[in-house]
Amino acid sequence: MIFCILLFVFMGSVAADNSSLSYEQEPERSHRLIINQHEPFNAETGVDDLSKTFLTPSEIFYVRNHGPVPALQEPEHFNSTYMLQVNGIVESPFNISLGALQRFPEKVSMNATLMCAGNRRTEMSKIKTVKGVPWGPGAIGNAEWTGVPLWTLLSIAKADLDNPNLHVEFSGGDVFEGTTHYAQSIPMYKAGDRKGDVLVAWAMNGQPLTLDHGYPLRVVVPGFIGARSVKWLNRITVLDHESQNRYQQKDYKLFLPSVTWENVDPLWNITPALTQLSVQSAITEPADNSTIMHGSPYTIKGYAQSNGARITRVDVSLNNGITWQAADIVYQEKKGYDNRYWSWTIWALPVAEFPSPCVIVCRAWDTSANTQPEAAAHIWNLRGVMNNAWHRVHVHDDKHA
Ligand SMILES: Nc1nc2c(c(=O)[nH]1)N[C@H]1C(S)=C(S)[C@@H](COP(=O)(O)O)O[C@H]1N2
Ligand SMILES: [Mo]
């Protein structure tokens, strides 16, 4: 395995030893995770767990893997043998060990929400089947991340942080489907921005990253779709074009509802890659199809999130969108500047007499008055990405209470 890591470092190669990658070696996982796919492993947080804490415990944080988790063993001197490369269009490319990175004085911790672009995909599939891991509303979580700001590494490599034509590519150590590895890029406007807060992180909620969340090193790109936050990071490359990895070019793009697998091919090239998140919110309590006794008191809870913009209001309807009331903002946190609300907003609405049976709906707004579309049908797309339609939950009356 050490040999395999050295191969990455010295040859910049993606031709890893596939025999070291197998599903059998995958890590222990919490039984509370809802498994959406076994191989590769994809699992989400249950709604009952989602809004309980502002920071999502790592063991129940959603896991989104495109392939097997790399079987990184922990050799004795892992901290000095695990290497991160920083190269590409830079004056001073360098390699740095995990240990050396962790001793950087620039080390910071920051809270940020990650959300998969496929969050709430199953609601789209109810309209017409979409292709992808069937996510409910739990492909989202908020954690404290510790690492070194990406822009400091790019500065040390003497990259041109102000060149708007550059992209920064992150390569992951997971190799699958024969020869493909996972890589993503983000534009320099985000990567090189001190206040963009892109982090090269080794810890989550105060502990080393777990294998599922990218041990030993990952990127956290706050405000962007989760796909860009590359796990098992081993290389950062400055390019004058986007990453050509298939997960950058042939995935995570948004098409019209009329686009099908028959006519999508010519569109991949001309359609821009998704970058920042849109406005999202969902009800976490009660769960869909719950039973609440008519007339009883109940507090509705949920989350809301934008691309860094502040969530200004969350509206809740108890009658399927006819009338609305504003929920209480229970917890909200900004990171110094108004455009850096990287963590989700937790909200609640106490209801004195619950009007079940009913359909409850939520929708959030940010400071630009960006909000959510009424129905998933209008934004349906063949990959089922970016579903941020009003979130609806059906509540039944408990006739036997
Ligand atoms: N190397 C690598 N990085 C990756 C992925 C992957 O499959 N391989 N999945 C991405 C996607 S689509 C998402 S949403 C996030 C999920 O991070 P998590 O599993 O820690 O929640 O990781 C991203 N980083
Ligand atoms: Mo994702």
Side-chain angles (χ1 to χ4, degrees):
M1 191 61 216
I2 296 178
F3 172 71
C4 183
I5 292 165
L6 293 178
L7 201 75
F8 277 129
V9 172
F10 293 124
M11 302 179 60
S13 169
V14 295
D17 171 10
N18 269 326
S19 62
S20 66
L21 298 163
S22 90
Y23 291 106
E24 282 131 54
Q25 295 165 358
E26 294 208 350
E28 291 269 311
R29 287 154 172 149
S30 165
H31 296 297
R32 294 186 74 84
L33 280 170
I34 300 166
I35 300 174
N36 294 326
Q37 192 177 320
H38 282 274
E39 295 183 1
F41 186 79
N42 284 285
E44 66 181 280
T45 314
V47 280
D48 47 336
D49 278 329
L50 265 187
S51 60
K52 278 208 172 67
T53 52
F54 181 65
L55 293 177
T56 315
S58 308
E59 64 275 13
I60 57 164
F61 198 100
Y62 83 97
V63 179
R64 202 293 179 239
N65 293 338
H66 287 79
V69 173
L72 293 167
Q73 278 139 26
E74 192 145 7
E76 225 177 299
H77 305 293
F78 192 69
N79 277 14
S80 50
T81 53
Y82 190 90
M83 288 288 191
L84 173 67
Q85 294 175 270
V86 183
N87 57 26
I89 307 174
V90 299
E91 263 180 56
S92 314
F94 64 94
N95 294 352
I96 185 164
S97 71
L98 177 62
L101 197 65
Q102 291 175 339
R103 288 190 294 273
F104 262 53
E106 288 87 354
K107 172 178 149 176
V108 286
S109 290
M110 140 190 115
N111 296 338
T113 292
L114 279 190
M115 185 177 79
C116 184
N119 192 31
R120 302 182 53 201
R121 173 178 284 142
T122 49
E123 295 163 53
M124 272 193 180
S125 267
K126 283 179 194 153
I127 297 160
K128 200 169 99 186
T129 308
V130 296
K131 197 166 147 185
V133 178
W135 298 109
I140 184 170
N142 189 43
E144 185 204 55
W145 309 96
T146 302
V148 171
L150 175 65
W151 71 267
T152 44
L153 298 180
L154 295 175
S155 305
I156 292 167
K158 298 204 176 67
D160 184 354
L161 303 188
D162 297 316
N163 184 337
N165 300 317
L166 297 180
H167 297 259
V168 178
E169 181 186 60
F170 311 117
S171 297
D174 44 343
V175 181
F176 42 94
E177 286 172 14
T179 54
T180 317
H181 73 303
Y182 187 87
Q184 294 278 305
S185 67
I186 58 169
M188 187 58 99
Y189 84 79
K190 177 72 173 176
D193 181 7
R194 284 164 167 262
K195 302 179 200 71
D197 292 316
V198 182
L199 211 62
V200 174
W202 56 80
M204 178 180 188
N205 296 327
Q207 296 295 320
L209 290 169
T210 60
L211 271 175
D212 265 332
H213 295 296
Y215 176 83
L217 214 52
R218 78 173 303 164
V219 185
V220 176
V221 187
F224 272 46
I225 61 166
R228 313 298 181 218
S229 293
V230 172
K231 305 190 278 190
W232 312 294
L233 177 73
N234 55 33
R235 193 169 67 223
I236 297 171
T237 310
V238 179
L239 303 170
D240 59 5
H241 54 267
E242 274 186 352
S243 170
Q244 293 303 297
N245 189 273
R246 74 163 294 264
Y247 295 101
Q248 179 80 26
Q249 296 300 327
K250 293 220 152 179
D251 208 347
Y252 301 109
K253 296 189 174 187
L254 188 68
F255 302 108
L256 276 166
S258 57
V259 173
T260 65
W261 291 106
E262 279 69 53
N263 59 22
V264 69
D265 266 357
L267 298 175
W268 286 113
N269 274 347
I270 57 171
T271 304
L274 290 164
T275 55
Q276 302 187 53
L277 294 166
S278 51
V279 181
Q280 177 66 286
S281 71
I283 297 160
T284 55
E285 291 179 42
D288 196 21
N289 283 318
S290 296
T291 297
I292 297 171
M293 201 195 355
H294 181 95
S296 62
Y298 188 90
T299 299
I300 303 169
K301 290 180 186 159
Y303 65 76
Q305 168 74 4
S306 186
N307 55 15
R310 180 180 187 175
I311 294 293
T312 48
R313 211 178 70 217
V314 179
D315 303 343
V316 178
S317 170
L318 302 175
N319 50 20
N320 203 6
I322 298 167
T323 57
W324 300 86
Q325 45 196 309
D328 301 330
I329 302 297
V330 176
Y331 207 90
Q332 187 171 64
E333 181 188 86
K334 77 166 166 175
K335 193 177 184 304
Y337 288 80
D338 280 347
N339 60 347
R340 298 202 296 174
Y341 285 82
W342 301 136
S343 288
W344 59 13
T345 291
I346 300 297
W347 56 266
L349 181 77
V351 179
E353 294 177 17
F354 211 82
S356 37
C358 60
V359 178
I360 46 181
V361 193
C362 77
R363 66 173 185 213
W365 303 78
D366 71 10
T367 42
S368 303
N370 285 324
T371 189
Q372 303 174 237
E374 183 171 341
H378 306 307
I379 51 171
W380 186 96
N381 59 92
L382 76 174
R383 280 291 275 120
V385 291
M386 303 302 267
N387 180 19
N388 67 336
W390 296 357
H391 189 227
R392 289 188 164 80
V393 161
H394 301 79
V395 185
H396 311 285
D397 187 11
D398 185 356
K399 294 256 171 357
H400 309 289

